[in-house]
């Protein structure tokens, strides 16, 4: 493996900033405003060689006009560029740019979880071959230093699980729906205006953004390659005010959770489950009190025990904080030589089929209120070996609303039960099926 040679400290580290939107504009501003501190931490100077954008005609307060370019590739290829900062977003185009940069021997800092989750192996391999750095702290939970924590601080431990709120947009929407009864569409619009949401907010509300972050967390935590398409993913777009009412009735709330779990079978075989869905969590659980666009990440590690990280998971300045930390790291390695930890995938654990994963369920049905229905519902669960914890029936018009809470059961068995129930003439509607995460209720 090659290693970055120390640079002549009289020459500034050349930075190419790709993108000047919510994140990129803050990165440029802070690089200018905090130059004294940042250069002292790097123990060397830096210079922004250019800022690549798509639309040259947009006003860009704080970005010197002579730095702007719409030719990102030429900027990357400049001899005096050492570190490329990718804050454009998307997958295919940034992948092309980042690969070009790495292959040309430039270190890369990116905030792009979608690209890292989709092309992690290829990008890490390219960085290793060139002996340069690939940093992506901002890709997961923005300002919260979870990537560095897993890459470095817990490198000597064995992580058992990570449970987190890792998408600010959906937490902002769910929190407002729960606490003020706010409308889903209105809160999504606000999250977009505040710069939390992705350019296409479908990635946020359908859980894909959280799934990319979960894939990155699982890869780092379990030293295995976990891609975003192996993450089971459901979004929040079907969550209604009625679901929150049902959650409140059992002293719970609903949050979009990313769960990364090391599972050990009875024969000792280990595998990974990585999943994202809106889950019920008890109000006394610390994740239930994560408000607005904040993120929080719980880590269970065998030697360290429980760790919790909390902070801003979206927004220009919080994300720029993580990007700047990575720029300092990459620039320092340029000045002094050396590389940050690369990919570690030696454990190569397989992904467990989602159908085999055990959780507890909250099944909310509208049924016909007649003799024998409750017994038949219980029999249908029993047929697939699912034990019921509580059953609650309230009058509804027409019929009754039936809420069943199960003990831990396999996802595939629950799906078989739901298929069975949907075929019953007494089931008028399946209002929702939610899973529980966190401590026992
Ligand atoms: P954004 O506001 O949409 O900004 C994107 C920037 O990229 C814009 O300046 C845009 O140029 C530029 N761009 C787009 N296509 C380009 C092209 N073909 N060539 C050159 N420049 C191009 O996005 P953002 O919110 O800053 O997010 C950037 C990245 O950070 C994404 O990967 C996102 O997932 C990640 N991230 C964002 C946050 C957050 O809270 N926003 C948090 C963590 C991570 P124009 O200005 O000319 O349109
Ligand atoms: N759209 C993302 C969110 C930005 O809402 O969390 C941070 O990755």
């Amino acid at each position: 493996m090659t290693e970055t040679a120390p640079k002549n400290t009289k020459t500034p580290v050349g930075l190419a900033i790709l993108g000047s939107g919510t994140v990129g504009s803050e990165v440029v501003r802070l690089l200018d405003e905090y130059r004294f501190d940042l250069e002292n931490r790097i123990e060397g100077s830096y210079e922004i060689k250019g800022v690549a954008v798509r639309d040259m005609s947009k006003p860009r307060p704080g970005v010197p006009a002579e730095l702007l370019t719409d030719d990102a590739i030429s900027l990357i290829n400049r001899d005096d560029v050492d570190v490329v900062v990718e804050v454009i977003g998307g997958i295919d185009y940034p992948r092309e740019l980042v690969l070009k940069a790495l292959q040309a021997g430039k270190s890369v800092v990116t905030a792009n979880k979608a690209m890292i989750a989709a092309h992690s192996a290829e990008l890490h391999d390219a960085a290793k071959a060139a002996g340069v750095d690939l940093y992506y702290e901002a890709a997961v939970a923005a300002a919260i230093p979870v990537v560095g924590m897993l890459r470095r601080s817990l490198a000597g431990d064995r992580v058992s699980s990570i449970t987190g709120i890792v998408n600010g947009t959906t937490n902002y929407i769910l929190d407002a729906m729960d606490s003020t009864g706010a409308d889903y569409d209105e809160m999504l619009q606000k999250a977009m205006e505040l710069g939390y949401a992705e350019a296409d907010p479908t990635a946020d509300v359908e859980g894909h953004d959280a799934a990319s972050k979960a894939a990155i967390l699982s890869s780092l935590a379990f030293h295995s390659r976990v891609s975003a398409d192996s993450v089971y993913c459901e979004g929040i777009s079907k969550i209604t005010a009625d679901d929150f009412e049902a959650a409140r009735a059992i002293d719970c709330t609903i949050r979009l959770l990313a769960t990364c779990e090391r599972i050990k079978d009875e024969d000792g075989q280990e595998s990974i489950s990585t999943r994202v869905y809106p889950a019920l969590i008890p109000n006394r659980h610390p994740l239930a009190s994560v408000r607005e666009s904040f993120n929080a990440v719980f880590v269970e590690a065998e030697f360290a025990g429980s760790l919790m990280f909390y902070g801003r998971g979206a927004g220009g300045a919080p994300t720029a904080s993580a990007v700047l930390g990575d720029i300092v790291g990459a620039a320092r390695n340029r000045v002094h030589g050396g590389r940050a930890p690369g990919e570690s995938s030696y454990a190569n654990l397989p992904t467990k089929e989602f159908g085999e994963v055990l959780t507890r369920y909250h099944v909310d049905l509208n049924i016909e209120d007649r003799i024998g229905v409750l017994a038949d519902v219980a029999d249908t669960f029993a047929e697939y070996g699912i034990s019921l914890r509580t059953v609650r029936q309230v009058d509804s018009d027409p019929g009754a609303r039936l809420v069943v809470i199960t003990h831990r059961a396999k996802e595939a068995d629950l799906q078989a039960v739901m298929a069975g129930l949907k075929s019953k003439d007494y089931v008028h509607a399946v209002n929702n099926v939610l899973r529980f995460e966190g401590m026992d209720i």
Side-chain angles (χ1 to χ4, degrees), residues 63-370:
V63 182
E66 66 278 10
L67 290 183
L68 288 171
T69 174
D70 56 5
D71 184 355
I73 291 186
S74 298
L75 174 60
I76 290 169
N77 284 332
R78 275 174 62 153
D79 287 342
D80 56 358
V81 164
D82 303 292
V83 177
V84 172
V85 181
E86 186 277 310
V87 279
I88 289 179
I91 297 184
D92 295 338
Y93 183 56
R95 167 184 166 265
E96 185 193 329
L97 297 178
V98 165
L99 271 178
K100 276 202 163 53
L102 295 170
Q103 285 158 357
K106 326 275 170 161
S107 290
V108 169
V109 172
T110 177
N112 189 333
K113 57 268 172 171
M115 176 190 69
I116 293 288
H119 297 292
S120 173
E122 181 186 32
L123 299 175
H124 277 105
D125 287 350
K128 187 175 177 183
V132 296
D133 284 326
L134 173 61
Y135 277 99
Y136 46 92
E137 182 60 69
V140 185
I144 312 178
V146 284
V147 171
M149 174 270 294
L150 290 168
R151 262 180 147 182
R152 288 186 295 272
S153 315
L154 289 182
D157 209 317
R158 268 174 64 86
V159 175
S160 320
S161 68
I162 300 176
T163 312
I165 293 173
V166 292
N167 182 271
T169 301
T170 48
N171 206 63
Y172 186 75
I173 296 171
L174 292 175
D175 178 41
M177 285 174 78
D178 192 16
S179 54
T180 67
D183 178 68
Y184 174 92
D185 290 323
E186 184 196 338
M187 297 319 292
L188 173 57
Q189 188 57 40
K190 278 199 177 165
M192 289 168 70
E193 284 162 19
L194 289 165
Y196 302 151
E198 298 301 303
D200 174 3
T202 316
D204 294 294
V205 296
E206 295 306 339
H208 306 307
D209 176 81
S212 293
K213 293 164 178 169
I216 295 171
L217 290 175
S218 266
S219 302
L220 294 167
F222 306 125
H223 301 271
S224 299
R225 285 181 171 170
V226 178
S227 67
D229 54 19
S230 68
V231 178
Y232 178 81
C233 173
E234 283 176 26
I236 66 160
S237 56
K238 295 196 184 83
I239 298 295
T240 63
D242 282 353
D243 295 327
F244 277 108
E245 193 190 309
R248 278 192 287 276
I250 52 170
D251 201 16
C252 284
T253 189
I254 301 169
R255 289 288 186 265
L256 185 75
L257 293 189
T259 304
C260 311
E261 199 180 3
R262 184 196 293 271
I263 296 173
K264 198 168 191 170
D265 287 345
E266 281 163 9
D267 62 2
Q269 179 68 44
E270 287 194 334
S271 57
I272 302 170
S273 168
T274 313
R275 49 193 198 264
V276 168
Y277 40 68
L280 286 160
I281 44 173
N283 279 323
R284 67 176 184 281
H285 191 291
L287 286 178
S289 54
V290 176
R291 311 294 303 270
E292 301 177 353
S293 67
F294 280 86
N295 284 193
V297 178
F298 267 123
V299 181
E300 291 282 344
E302 285 188 22
F303 318 138
S306 303
L307 304 163
M308 185 178 172
F309 301 82
Y310 172 84
R312 291 237 172 244
T319 309
S321 160
V323 172
L324 287 174
D326 282 352
I327 292 175
V328 169
R332 204 165 38 202
N333 288 343
R334 284 279 153 170
V335 171
H336 302 288
R339 283 183 74 215
E343 187 195 29
S344 167
S345 58
Y346 73 92
N348 201 19
L349 295 179
T351 289
K352 193 154 193 87
E353 284 287 314
F354 185 57
E356 296 299 302
V357 170
L358 295 168
T359 48
R360 289 168 296 125
Y361 305 90
H362 177 281
V363 177
D364 186 342
L365 307 169
N366 268 85
I367 55 163
E368 198 175 321
D369 191 7
R370 63 172 156 83

